[in-house]
Each structure stands twice: as C-alpha cells, then as structure tokens.
Amino acid sequence: MSGPKHTPTTLRPPPHPAPSGMIISANFSVTGFGRRWSHCHQLANYFARYASANEGDSERHSTLLSTFFNELFEAVYRNHAPKGEIKIEFKRDNNRVSVRAEVPTNAQCEQFYRHTVELVNQPDPMSWYRERLEHDAPEEEVTSLGLLELAVVYGSKLSIAEPVIGNSLALTIEFPFNEAEEV
Amino acid sequence: MSVSTAPESVVPPSSSSGAPPWRSPVTFNIRVDQNDQEVVFSGMLRPMIADHMKSIRATCEEAAKVSWGTLYLNFKRLKYMNNVAFLEINRFIRWSAEQRPDLKIKLIISSVIPWAIRKFQVVAEIYSNVSVEIYDKAFYPIQQMLEDAEFINVLRLQEQIIWEHERKILPNHGLRAGMRIADIACGLGDFAVLLQRDFKPEYIVGVDHSRPSLRYGQETVKNLGLEDIEYQYGDAAALLLPDNSFDFVACRLSLQVFHQPEQIMQELFRICRPGGRIYITNECMSCVFGYPEQEIIRSTYQSILDIGRMVGMDLDIGMKTRQLLTDTDLEDIRINLIDINNMNTDCYDFAKVVESWISGTSHMALAAGTPPDVHEGITAGLRVHMETITNPRGLASWPIYAGSGRKPAV
C-alpha cells in the first residue's frame, strides 16, 4: 500500500519561520491614522495577516492576532498627541508575537498608558476587570479595558519601554500565540 | 428580522469580492429568530463608541422581553468583535439578569473563532443565568480515528483510487487552470495537492474541522514546498470564507456525515461566485455490490446504512445528488458516476479500503449503541465483500456519484 505520488509544481525549500526576529515595521502619521476609525481594523487585519503568513492555519492565527492588534490600534487611536509619527514594530520571539508601538503623546495620553500598565500589573487584575463588567465602569476607565482584556483574558504582557523618547512613549505588548490551538 | 447597523464610520464597510484578505470582506449582521428565541450575530463588530451599539442592544432587549426559558445569543459566525462591543453585550446580559432573572441566556460560540471561548467564559463566570455552549466541540464521533497512522494511510489510498477516475471527469464539471478553489471538508487535504499538480489552480483553500487531518495536510504542503494551498480550521455549516469568492467549490464524500446537508449546500452556494460551479461527490451504499455472495453483501451494506441513520449519517445520499444541486438553485447540472470496481482498480487496494470500513463502522455502531452482534455481522459481511473483490471470477463495485451545478450569474 502506498500513498499518492506528488509531483509539486513549484518545488522550493520549505519555509522555516525564524523563531525570533523582526516580522514587519511601519511608520505613519497620527493625523492620517486618526482620520478614520476603520484604519484600526484595516491595519490590524493587514499586520495580522502578514504576521501569520507562514503559519499552518494562517486564517485562524490571523483572526486571533487581528483581535489583539485591533485593541492596540483602537487604544492608540484614542490616545495620541495631535501631531507626530507612530512607529510600530512587530517581532516574533519563539511562540510569542510582540509589538513595540511608539506613540506621540501629551501629558494626558501618557497618563492613560501608564495607568493602564499599572492596572495590568496590579496583583489581581482579573478581579478588577470582572468588577468593571459587573458594574458600569467610569468613563475614564472604559478605554483601558480593551488593553486590560488582552492581559487578563488572553495572557498578554504590557509594559512601557524606557526611556521615553522626546514626546513619545513606547508601549510594548507580548501576545500569546498558542491560543489558536485551543478548543 | 434584520437590523442594519451603523454608518460606515462606526462599523467598517465590507470590501468588494476579491479584495485582499486584510481588507476583511466582512460586514456585520444581526438577525432575530423569534421562534427559536435566538439572536444571531455574524461578521465583524468593531464599533468606535458604545452609543453605536444602541440599536443592537435594543434588538437584544426586545428579544429578551418576549422570550421565556432560554434566549440564545449565537456568536458562531461573528469573526471579529472589539472590547467596546463586548462591554455592550455584557451590559445587555447584566440588564437581563436584573430585569428578567427567570430568563437563562445561552451564548453559542464556535471553536472556529479563536478569541471567543476565553472572552465569553468570563461573562459566564459572573452571571449565574448565563452559560456558554461550544456547539461544535464534539462534531465527529470518529475523530479519534484520524489520529491513527494506519487509518490515515487507508484514507490516502482511498483518495488515490478515486482520483484516478475523478480527474478524468473534473473538466466536465468546469474545472480549469487558474481557478480559485475551495475544498470544504477537505480531510487530509490530498485533493488540493492533486488539483495543484494536475489542474494548476491559482489558489486553493481546504477547510476541515479535524485538527489531526489539517495538521497532516499542512505538513504535506510544507514538506513539498507547495505555495497557494492553505488549510483552515473551520465549520462547513458556518464558513468564515467571504461571499462570492471562489470559482470552484468542492465538497467530496462529506455531505453524508452532516445532519443537515442542505445547510452545507447553502454555504457552498454563498462562497461560490456567480457563474462558478459547486461540485459534490456522494456515496450510495445501497448500490455497493459484490458477486458471488451478493445477498450477504447487500444485507451488510443495508446494516451499515441503518446504523449510519442512527447517528445522523445518510450513506445513501448519492442518489439525492441531483436533488441537492437542484434545490440549491443551481443551473447546468451535470452528473457522473465514478464507478470504482475490481476490474478498473487494483483489487488489493480496493479490498484494503473496504477493510478499513470495519473499523469505521465499529465507531458508528458504538455511537449508535447497537448490540455487539450487529457489528460482528457487518465485519463478517465486509470480509465476504473483500473476498469477492479479490476473487478472479468475482465482480465488485463501489459507486460514487459526482455532480455539479453552476451558480446563476447576477
């Protein structure tokens, strides 16, 4: 008994995705990005699809990564200085995809990101998150919940990279990547 | 009832068919089925602010007001949802827990949507009237068989046997080079690889709900260095593939395992582009025969048909091929018989495939809860069939009906 004999049409060495290293980076102005809400989901889907290209089930990985990236882009959409450039780098580190987003900020935006990172790194962020679901969260906290969800529900790690460069702030998020295998 | 959502700036619009995947050709839709007390969400739900969820919350609240017992919120085809939308769904659930404490809410999700399980689990842990159901968790009673290397070899052998006949009829069903093809319920994915070799399509996506099969297919494609073949974990009854996006949509030897093949046909129709073709193949177990010992063989396959029906499988669906295509509103319907017999196929390979059905039917018998002697009888009958297949004076046949139809142009 033997299986079918395959004669591939485009024989090339099988792809070996690097366990670590750069996936893609991009720079764009906050004014262009902030012009349309739909830029968040379009960028999230584009980068997610790109980062998942060599995965076995790229659609599934890309759907999950898009969910993560979209929350980041939505947070950036709401919290950035009126002028400046967003620099974003997607990297892979073994089974995790990490993003470093350099966002132009003013004092208010910086406060938002620092507060969100503090919330994520508190001793019991899940209880805090559930509390906000059980009761109406104050308006100023609602916008943190998207990023908080990435941490408490999906196990992402959020941090602010130091030093802060000029009027920018570098937010780093490590996303879990094995979620796609869960049932 | 259908509710239109928000303006373009609220929920991003769908792209036209054929747009790059990152443009996400997905729109949001919400539908209320009052008879089933179900609110069905599909597509993408990424509003900017809570206010943009007003009409959706109002729809849910209206559904809750007129429901009793259990209200189902069906998210199995909601591909994307942001936290803004999630918080509003949560607010609706909290509202219903307060206003309608007697009403249970069941959140229906699919394992195909990778973000959904953890997200909704949190809600179910908070509210006692809420539960989560992963509706496709135990789809296939024979799934564990697919982990078995020997069974995989037999499936591949079966694919090889059928392909030798099938490739000759595929042009009659409209298959041409350069097409975009979807193979739904693709199993191990060999069909895609064989199509790539012999028909030079532009792109093929195989979808299946068995992770072991998909892993096998992905590994094969990777090892062969093949491009333009993708395998996705998915549910044939609720595909996430966009509308009108494939020239040729295949679903082979699979409709028989689904409780509602018509629902699958609707999904095949949805993803096929107007003018494209839907191609299905189906077994017809009551037409399997072997000579000599034809009576034993006939009654054996009748027993297999019977236990198949007990577990919701219609192994005689081949004879309904034309009806399935017609009822899906397809035109230019074409039917071919793929006649696998011991004169046109290596008889030992054919017998090996029939031998594998002993194991396959034992899983079915177990799921059907039949007494042990039923499967013992089937095993004995299949062994008789194997003898006729390898008998130099015997004649044995395994007919498969292949049919296709064209989706009408708009």
Side-chain angles (χ1 to χ4, degrees), chain B residues 235-251:
Chain B
D235 168 11
L239 293 165
L240 296 178
L241 298 169
D243 299 355
N244 306 319
S245 49
F246 293 93
D247 304 302
F248 192 85
V249 179
C251 184

mmCIF file of all heavy atoms in Angstrom, chain B residues 235-251:
data_model
loop_
_atom_site.group_PDB
_atom_site.id
_atom_site.type_symbol
_atom_site.label_atom_id
_atom_site.label_comp_id
_atom_site.label_asym_id
_atom_site.label_seq_id
_atom_site.Cartn_x
_atom_site.Cartn_y
_atom_site.Cartn_z
ATOM 1 N N ASP B 235 -15.807 25.256 10.088
ATOM 2 C CA ASP B 235 -17.052 24.515 10.220
ATOM 3 C C ASP B 235 -17.812 24.662 8.901
ATOM 4 O O ASP B 235 -18.166 25.780 8.520
ATOM 5 C CB ASP B 235 -17.813 25.128 11.400
ATOM 6 C CG ASP B 235 -19.238 24.659 11.497
ATOM 7 O OD1 ASP B 235 -19.606 23.702 10.785
ATOM 8 O OD2 ASP B 235 -19.997 25.245 12.285
ATOM 9 N N ALA B 236 -18.049 23.548 8.229
ATOM 10 C CA ALA B 236 -18.673 23.591 6.902
ATOM 11 C C ALA B 236 -20.051 24.241 6.940
ATOM 12 O O ALA B 236 -20.508 24.803 5.950
ATOM 13 C CB ALA B 236 -18.771 22.179 6.327
ATOM 14 N N ALA B 237 -20.711 24.173 8.103
ATOM 15 C CA ALA B 237 -22.062 24.736 8.191
ATOM 16 C C ALA B 237 -22.047 26.226 8.506
ATOM 17 O O ALA B 237 -23.089 26.881 8.446
ATOM 18 C CB ALA B 237 -22.855 23.995 9.263
ATOM 19 N N ALA B 238 -20.895 26.747 8.877
ATOM 20 C CA ALA B 238 -20.794 28.181 9.199
ATOM 21 C C ALA B 238 -19.403 28.655 8.785
ATOM 22 O O ALA B 238 -18.579 29.005 9.619
ATOM 23 C CB ALA B 238 -21.034 28.409 10.689
ATOM 24 N N LEU B 239 -19.176 28.680 7.489
ATOM 25 C CA LEU B 239 -17.847 29.028 6.978
ATOM 26 C C LEU B 239 -17.563 30.512 7.199
ATOM 27 O O LEU B 239 -18.465 31.340 7.124
ATOM 28 C CB LEU B 239 -17.772 28.724 5.480
ATOM 29 C CG LEU B 239 -17.847 27.253 5.095
ATOM 30 C CD1 LEU B 239 -18.133 27.098 3.595
ATOM 31 C CD2 LEU B 239 -16.551 26.540 5.455
ATOM 32 N N LEU B 240 -16.291 30.806 7.426
ATOM 33 C CA LEU B 240 -15.908 32.208 7.572
ATOM 34 C C LEU B 240 -15.393 32.785 6.256
ATOM 35 O O LEU B 240 -14.985 33.926 6.199
ATOM 36 C CB LEU B 240 -14.837 32.345 8.651
ATOM 37 C CG LEU B 240 -15.284 31.967 10.056
ATOM 38 C CD1 LEU B 240 -14.144 32.084 11.041
ATOM 39 C CD2 LEU B 240 -16.444 32.845 10.510
ATOM 40 N N LEU B 241 -15.397 31.982 5.211
ATOM 41 C CA LEU B 241 -14.930 32.458 3.909
ATOM 42 C C LEU B 241 -15.934 33.474 3.352
ATOM 43 O O LEU B 241 -17.139 33.347 3.583
ATOM 44 C CB LEU B 241 -14.783 31.280 2.936
ATOM 45 C CG LEU B 241 -13.760 30.217 3.364
ATOM 46 C CD1 LEU B 241 -13.878 28.966 2.498
ATOM 47 C CD2 LEU B 241 -12.352 30.773 3.284
ATOM 48 N N PRO B 242 -15.424 34.482 2.630
ATOM 49 C CA PRO B 242 -16.326 35.533 2.148
ATOM 50 C C PRO B 242 -17.278 35.072 1.041
ATOM 51 O O PRO B 242 -17.023 34.067 0.362
ATOM 52 C CB PRO B 242 -15.375 36.607 1.623
ATOM 53 C CG PRO B 242 -14.060 35.963 1.463
ATOM 54 C CD PRO B 242 -14.011 34.758 2.337
ATOM 55 N N ASP B 243 -18.348 35.834 0.856
ATOM 56 C CA ASP B 243 -19.337 35.545 -0.190
ATOM 57 C C ASP B 243 -18.688 35.636 -1.576
ATOM 58 O O ASP B 243 -17.758 36.415 -1.784
ATOM 59 C CB ASP B 243 -20.461 36.605 -0.178
ATOM 60 C CG ASP B 243 -21.226 36.653 1.133
ATOM 61 O OD1 ASP B 243 -20.962 35.805 1.996
ATOM 62 O OD2 ASP B 243 -22.083 37.547 1.271
ATOM 63 N N ASN B 244 -19.239 34.879 -2.501
ATOM 64 C CA ASN B 244 -18.931 35.045 -3.947
ATOM 65 C C ASN B 244 -17.435 35.091 -4.249
ATOM 66 O O ASN B 244 -16.983 35.930 -5.027
ATOM 67 C CB ASN B 244 -19.550 36.358 -4.466
ATOM 68 C CG ASN B 244 -21.030 36.441 -4.172
ATOM 69 O OD1 ASN B 244 -21.745 35.446 -4.302
ATOM 70 N ND2 ASN B 244 -21.489 37.597 -3.756
ATOM 71 N N SER B 245 -16.654 34.224 -3.621
ATOM 72 C CA SER B 245 -15.205 34.405 -3.744
ATOM 73 C C SER B 245 -14.457 33.240 -4.398
ATOM 74 O O SER B 245 -13.249 33.318 -4.539
ATOM 75 C CB SER B 245 -14.602 34.703 -2.377
ATOM 76 O OG SER B 245 -15.049 33.777 -1.441
ATOM 77 N N PHE B 246 -15.143 32.179 -4.806
ATOM 78 C CA PHE B 246 -14.431 31.046 -5.410
ATOM 79 C C PHE B 246 -15.069 30.649 -6.747
ATOM 80 O O PHE B 246 -16.279 30.698 -6.901
ATOM 81 C CB PHE B 246 -14.423 29.845 -4.457
ATOM 82 C CG PHE B 246 -13.612 30.104 -3.222
ATOM 83 C CD1 PHE B 246 -14.205 30.587 -2.068
ATOM 84 C CD2 PHE B 246 -12.238 29.914 -3.229
ATOM 85 C CE1 PHE B 246 -13.454 30.876 -0.947
ATOM 86 C CE2 PHE B 246 -11.467 30.199 -2.110
ATOM 87 C CZ PHE B 246 -12.080 30.674 -0.962
ATOM 88 N N ASP B 247 -14.192 30.214 -7.668
ATOM 89 C CA ASP B 247 -14.670 29.788 -8.987
ATOM 90 C C ASP B 247 -15.207 28.364 -8.935
ATOM 91 O O ASP B 247 -16.068 27.976 -9.726
ATOM 92 C CB ASP B 247 -13.517 29.813 -10.004
ATOM 93 C CG ASP B 247 -12.863 31.173 -10.088
ATOM 94 O OD1 ASP B 247 -13.590 32.128 -10.389
ATOM 95 O OD2 ASP B 247 -11.648 31.273 -9.832
ATOM 96 N N PHE B 248 -14.645 27.585 -8.028
ATOM 97 C CA PHE B 248 -14.986 26.161 -7.979
ATOM 98 C C PHE B 248 -15.007 25.755 -6.507
ATOM 99 O O PHE B 248 -14.007 25.898 -5.792
ATOM 100 C CB PHE B 248 -13.918 25.366 -8.741
ATOM 101 C CG PHE B 248 -14.259 23.932 -9.016
ATOM 102 C CD1 PHE B 248 -15.012 23.573 -10.139
ATOM 103 C CD2 PHE B 248 -13.831 22.925 -8.162
ATOM 104 C CE1 PHE B 248 -15.316 22.243 -10.402
ATOM 105 C CE2 PHE B 248 -14.131 21.595 -8.416
ATOM 106 C CZ PHE B 248 -14.872 21.251 -9.549
ATOM 107 N N VAL B 249 -16.158 25.300 -6.047
ATOM 108 C CA VAL B 249 -16.300 24.932 -4.632
ATOM 109 C C VAL B 249 -16.610 23.442 -4.556
ATOM 110 O O VAL B 249 -17.629 22.984 -5.081
ATOM 111 C CB VAL B 249 -17.437 25.746 -3.972
ATOM 112 C CG1 VAL B 249 -17.601 25.340 -2.516
ATOM 113 C CG2 VAL B 249 -17.159 27.238 -4.080
ATOM 114 N N ALA B 250 -15.710 22.692 -3.934
ATOM 115 C CA ALA B 250 -15.874 21.233 -3.869
ATOM 116 C C ALA B 250 -16.235 20.799 -2.455
ATOM 117 O O ALA B 250 -15.792 21.402 -1.473
ATOM 118 C CB ALA B 250 -14.566 20.557 -4.295
ATOM 119 N N CYS B 251 -17.039 19.769 -2.381
ATOM 120 C CA CYS B 251 -17.341 19.138 -1.091
ATOM 121 C C CYS B 251 -17.507 17.651 -1.394
ATOM 122 O O CYS B 251 -18.521 17.228 -1.938
ATOM 123 C CB CYS B 251 -18.599 19.731 -0.475
ATOM 124 S SG CYS B 251 -18.953 19.064 1.157
#
